[in-house]
Amino acid sequence: MFYPMFAMFILIFVVGIVTARARFGHVRQKKINPKYFLLFQGDDIPEEILKTGRNFSNQFEIPVLFFVVCLSYMVMGFDSMVGMVAAWVFIFFRAIHAYIHITSNNLIRRMQTFWLGFICVLVMWIDLFVLVWLNN
């Protein structure tokens, strides 16, 4: 489970860089007042700032459940093909979700990739539950 967790870390890091570049770029171009970032309140905020910022925040919602379940597999010593496949599929859908959110922001496609990723984490938790139950 380490490698899927590392891949998720890399995705979060990349989204963070994209977010920072958007923010610094808009401040540098004087498209946004730097004071906006004190409380994240203001008017006429560029769409790119909102999309990248919200996507970065999204990386600390469902992925937290992903990290916890991955660590649980590792700490409990379970190797599961179901869990490993679901973990990599989750990473795939999170990457697509981030790309859609930051670019076209197509709501239907974004929602589909979000829920497919969510289902992957659900499968991982159910798989882990079954493994624990069968081994007790």
Side-chain angles (χ1 to χ4, degrees), residues 7 9 12 24 28 43 46 56 59-60 64-65 67 75 79 83 85 88 94 97 107:
F9 162 76
I12 292 169
F24 286 120
R28 194 176 322 110
D43 297 326
F56 187 66
Q59 302 308 324
F60 299 96
V64 170
L65 298 174
F67 285 122
V75 167
D79 289 322
V85 169
W88 282 114
R94 286 306 296 183
H97 177 268
L107 184 60

Side-chain angles (χ1 to χ4, degrees), residues 20 57 59-60 65 72-73 101 126 132:
S57 293
Q59 302 308 324
F60 299 96
L65 298 174
S72 296
Y73 274 110
H101 197 179
I126 292 169
V132 170

Side-chain angles (χ1 to χ4, degrees), residues 42-100:
D43 297 326
D44 199 29
I45 306 307
E47 183 177 314
E48 184 181 9
I49 297 294
L50 294 174
K51 288 192 310 187
T52 57
R54 288 185 181 147
N55 188 263
F56 187 66
S57 293
N58 286 166
Q59 302 308 324
F60 299 96
E61 294 170 358
I62 298 299
V64 170
L65 298 174
F66 170 76
F67 285 122
V68 170
V69 74
C70 284
L71 287 171
S72 296
Y73 274 110
M74 292 169 64
V75 167
M76 293 177 181
F78 291 122
D79 289 322
S80 167
M81 183 58 72
V82 170
M84 187 61 75
V85 169
W88 282 114
V89 173
F90 173 75
I91 298 301
F92 175 76
F93 284 122
R94 286 306 296 183
I96 293 172
H97 177 268
Y99 178 78
I100 291 169

Side-chain angles (χ1 to χ4, degrees), residues 6 9 25 31 33 65 67 79 81 95 114 119 123 128 136:
F6 186 74
F9 162 76
K31 293 182 179 179
N33 186 326
L65 298 174
F67 285 122
D79 289 322
M81 183 58 72
F114 171 84
I119 289 167
V123 165
L128 182 62
N136 279 332

